[in-house]
Amino acid sequence: MPSIDFDAVAGLSDTSVQEKLRTDGYNELPLQQKRNILRIVFEVIHEPMFLLLVASGLIYFFLGDTNEGLILMSFVVFIIGITVYQEQKTERALEALRNLSSPRALVIRDGKQKRIAGRDVVTGDMLILSEGDRVPADGALLFSNNISIDESLLTGESVPVRKVPWQAGMLPGQPGGDNQPFVYSGTLIVQGQGLAEVRATGAKTEMGKIGAVLQTVERSETRLKGEISRIVRTIALIGFCLCIIIVVGYGLTRFNWIEGFLAGITLAMAILPEEFPVVLTIFLALGAWRISKKNVLCRQIPAVETLGSATVLCVDKTGTLTRNEMSVRSFFAEGKICEHDCSGTNSVADTCHEVAEFAILACKKDPFDPMEKALVRLRDGDFGKTEHIHRNWELIQEYPLSAELLAMSNVWRSPDGNDYIIAAKGAPEAIIDLCHFDATQKKVLDKQIDLMAAEGLRVLGVAKSSFSKHELPSGQHDFPFAFLGLVGFADPVRPQVAEAITECYSAGIRVIMITGDYPLTAKNIARQIGLTDTDTCITGAELDNMSEEELRRRIGSVSIFARVVPEQKLRIVNALKANGEVVAMTGDGVNDAPALKSADIGIAMGGRGTDVAREASSLVLLDDDFISIVSVVKLGRRIFDNLKKAIAFIFSVHVPIAGMSLIPVLFNMPLILMPVHIAFLQLIIDPACSTVFEAEREEKDVMNRPPRRKDEGLFTRRTLILSLLQGFVVLAIVMIIYVNALSRGIAENEVRALTFTTIVIADLGLILTNRSWSETIFANLLSPNTALVYVFIGTVVSLALVLYVPFLQDLFRFAALSPIDLALCAIAGILSILWFELFKLWGLTSPGKTAS
């Protein structure tokens, strides 16, 4: 093909450019209107959990407990700060997309070539495209000199596609596929040169359409956050109503409004579970930290909990299951197949040395094409140490690939020889043509090509020739080529992906592959990684003809979607969500961003992934290791299990505290608990919830049980009943100690000390019994938990101080207890949890039945 005469092209005038910029705007994506910090803060503080934190802090300030009030208020500031930071990070997805879509551009204007900023490109501009350039806008290719383009950012397909010049009547199509005349913004020229006329800029490009979809996709509130908000709201309302009743009732019956107000405040503090928002925040924050140790960055902290409940994992093939890097998989020479392991040591068999040698000789010195890069890696590896690599040969001439002949040849001359050596490679049919095969030879080779293609391989033919004349011919057909063999290329599967898929299945997580590649290739990869239902595949074209109802019905039994475009990925994710699935979606390209954002958990690749994919996701795999997903799922389930244990403990521990604040008031008995006692108990409850339970190891069956149902929250009815039952049993035991002490006529201070000590010991018992809902306290003693040790030591020491240090005795209105009294309190605390340990032995509290 003759070279392109750029001098004959005039291009737009400066006047036309300025007019188009004025009417159409710059070639960039419009940014979503950002929320300012004040608006984000305003939205955050409307959450019930934050309002409860503020209310609890104000109560402590009102009671003069400045330290406790300051601690709670510091939590408010910390949580708001984290939320603002995360929200601002989330809104950078479009900005990253905008930067990617605006590279530098070489255009022709007023008959002169100019290098301009990509944002200044307008419709009608003439773009000069060369190998290594990134296309700045969508356009039609007017002239082409063997152009191939990597469109994987838009299609997910790793192999470049060939382009042909546009002809009248050709209509715009979708990215992907060979022999199309259209080029797209953000794609990369890997071979050739061309001239394109810009047809669309900014938001009207294919990448701009992805940006528009990304702008409209909203993340839904996580179930956990919504459930916690409802629980907090309900309990806060109950606590407020009881507080009013106590204040009014106490004042009207005992005519002591000050003590009534104090009793009401005490009850409110006993009922209000201010630990809920603190526990939720700490569990998720520490969960994000633990996940980061697995080389996973958590961009949306609520995803920590959601990931453990994922039921479907949608996987992008290229760059996620595979390396997005072509490699030599096999050779065919002398009638034999030679398998090649790129990680092995010089695994090119002797019979295939020559085909490998000449395939490498047919490459460019510094290629962009991924298959040529694979051959270069072969040359630079162990094979490069053999005599088949000729680094001192001189490249005399290149015959480029053309639309008429999809093969290229390099002419070489050795330092000690006079003859030329010609190496050719290209599409098998082109090499067959160069070698002048007859029908029988062609039929035999076609059968072998079909066998290799059926394994998902990209196949190139290789041939050689020699030439002794001084003047080289104008075309490749003038050389007497001899066929050497075939080379099969594949995008290799990432290590341990098959193992990760198996673990996903054992955890009840269904895996679906969504790819822009061909069905045959997708099925081959699916078989390699152990995906189920590999015989059925839905293509993008079939998807377009499906109604939403049909898609929702069929998606339950299909594991492979091939030749899928970005809008269809988003549609698949939404169909799964409509079926009640909790969807995790992995991806690395621009085309994955809308689906990543719409999924319950978007997981981007940190190494190969684009900024757009990372900013639209909830989690980022920093090492691009697919196996990390399984580790994070395990952590997510552990975090949720432990959060349930902590919340169950909060419910149960507040029952005796609230009961001992309310019952004496209702029955005109001496008040036992004052605000100072509640504050002391919080010193046990808060660290137990936020550190002891968070540090607990996972249950043994955490990855051998299905994810929890979508409609299942923190508590099943049975779990809630058992949790409250724990609290009421403790309350009953404490009341027995309290009433017995009153009946013996001992002093009020000693009654208070007995009752309070029993509550403290029972609370420690509740911590021990709730560490696991499947294993007994004695089994858990073998499981180390440093935070538990510190909480126990701190509690025992603090209790001893308030019981036996005179100043603290007066502050707490206690009397010193005898050893017999202490033994009585200890026995009572143990009896209050003994029944629950028996339930564990009978299997009535296992995670699979109640805690999960």
Side-chain angles (χ1 to χ4, degrees), residues 180-237:
Q180 297 294 322
F182 301 101
V183 295
Y184 300 96
S185 175
T187 58
L188 182 68
I189 311 295
V190 297
Q191 179 178 289
Q193 191 180 40
L195 181 72
E197 180 185 0
V198 175
R199 298 287 180 86
T201 61
K204 296 180 181 178
T205 63
E206 287 298 317
M207 190 176 289
K209 294 175 184 176
I210 296 175
V213 173
L214 191 59
Q215 221 171 4
T216 61
V217 175
E218 294 290 340
R219 288 191 177 92
S220 56
E221 183 185 67
T222 65
R223 291 177 296 158
L224 178 60
K225 186 178 178 182
E227 186 177 3
I228 287 288
S229 297
R230 289 192 299 272
I231 292 173
V232 168
R233 191 183 301 114
T234 302
I235 295 178
L237 181 61

Side-chain angles (χ1 to χ4, degrees), residues 735-754:
M735 279 298 300
I736 291 173
I737 296 294
Y738 172 63
V739 172
N740 177 263
L742 288 177
S743 66
R744 287 189 284 150
I746 61 179
E748 185 176 315
N749 283 3
E750 189 175 351
V751 173
R752 181 175 290 109
L754 264 173

Side-chain angles (χ1 to χ4, degrees), residues 42 63 215 315 382 523 628 759:
F42 183 76
L63 294 171
Q215 221 171 4
V315 188
D382 289 331
K523 286 183 177 181
S628 298
I759 292 176

Side-chain angles (χ1 to χ4, degrees), residues 156-458:
E157 185 177 351
S158 55
V159 178
V161 293
R162 295 187 299 274
K163 297 293 181 179
V164 297
W166 178 82
Q167 296 179 7
M170 285 186 171
L171 299 176
Q174 297 287 349
D178 290 323
N179 302 321
Q180 297 294 322
F182 301 101
V183 295
Y184 300 96
S185 175
T187 58
L188 182 68
I189 311 295
V190 297
Q191 179 178 289
Q193 191 180 40
L195 181 72
E197 180 185 0
V198 175
R199 298 287 180 86
T201 61
K204 296 180 181 178
T205 63
E206 287 298 317
M207 190 176 289
K209 294 175 184 176
I210 296 175
V213 173
L214 191 59
Q215 221 171 4
T216 61
V217 175
E218 294 290 340
R219 288 191 177 92
S220 56
E221 183 185 67
T222 65
R223 291 177 296 158
L224 178 60
K225 186 178 178 182
E227 186 177 3
I228 287 288
S229 297
R230 289 192 299 272
I231 292 173
V232 168
R233 191 183 301 114
T234 302
I235 295 178
L237 181 61
I238 294 172
F240 177 77
C241 294
L242 287 176
C243 179
I244 296 298
I245 292 172
I246 291 298
V247 172
V248 175
Y250 202 101
L252 293 177
T253 57
R254 303 192 186 186
F255 307 105
N256 190 331
W257 291 93
I258 294 178
E259 284 193 9
F261 182 75
L262 187 61
I265 291 295
T266 302
L267 179 62
M269 291 176 63
I271 290 180
L272 292 178
E274 67 268 22
E275 302 90 1
F276 277 1
V278 175
V279 165
L280 180 62
T281 301
I282 290 178
F283 265 62
L284 297 185
L286 288 178
W289 171 74
R290 292 185 188 279
I291 285 174
S292 70
K293 296 175 72 175
K294 302 289 185 181
N295 287 320
V296 179
L297 173 66
C298 182
R299 295 191 63 259
Q300 299 290 330
I301 288 183
V304 174
E305 171 269 328
T306 311
L307 187 61
S309 62
T311 59
V312 174
L313 178 59
C314 294
V315 188
D316 178 57
K317 177 184 74 68
T318 305
T320 306
L321 296 175
T322 65
R323 295 182 181 272
N324 194 19
E325 176 184 274
M326 299 300 286
S327 65
V328 177
R329 176 65 63 81
S330 64
F331 299 95
F332 173 76
E334 300 180 12
K336 297 179 180 179
I337 283 286
C338 308
E339 297 296 337
H340 175 68
D341 179 7
C342 58
S343 63
T345 303
N346 193 23
S347 56
V348 179
D350 291 343
T351 55
C352 297
H353 277 179
E354 191 174 25
V355 68
E357 172 187 355
F358 277 84
I360 292 170
L361 286 172
C363 291
K364 293 184 178 182
K365 287 186 176 181
D366 188 18
F368 280 89
D369 183 87
M371 286 186 281
E372 287 198 341
K373 285 184 176 181
L375 290 169
V376 169
R377 285 194 297 273
L378 182 68
R379 179 198 68 191
D380 295 339
D382 289 331
F383 186 69
K385 300 174 184 177
T386 68
E387 71 277 8
H388 299 284
I389 300 301
H390 312 283
R391 302 185 189 277
N392 60 342
W393 283 19
E394 180 186 1
L395 180 62
I396 303 301
Q397 184 170 325
E398 298 180 11
Y399 290 89
L401 179 139
S402 66
E404 292 78 17
L405 183 66
L406 298 178
M408 62 179 292
S409 297
N410 285 343
V411 181
W412 298 86
R413 183 166 56 198
S414 67
D416 57 351
N418 295 320
D419 289 347
Y420 298 111
I421 302 298
I422 300 95
K425 67 173 173 58
E429 60 271 19
I431 297 299
I432 288 172
D433 185 22
L434 285 176
C435 295
H436 306 291
F437 272 21
D438 58 31
T440 302
Q441 291 174 306
K442 183 177 182 299
K443 184 177 181 180
V444 172
L445 191 60
D446 282 344
K447 184 178 180 180
Q448 183 58 48
I449 293 169
D450 290 341
L451 288 174
M452 295 176 73
E455 295 180 4
L457 301 181
R458 306 282 179 170

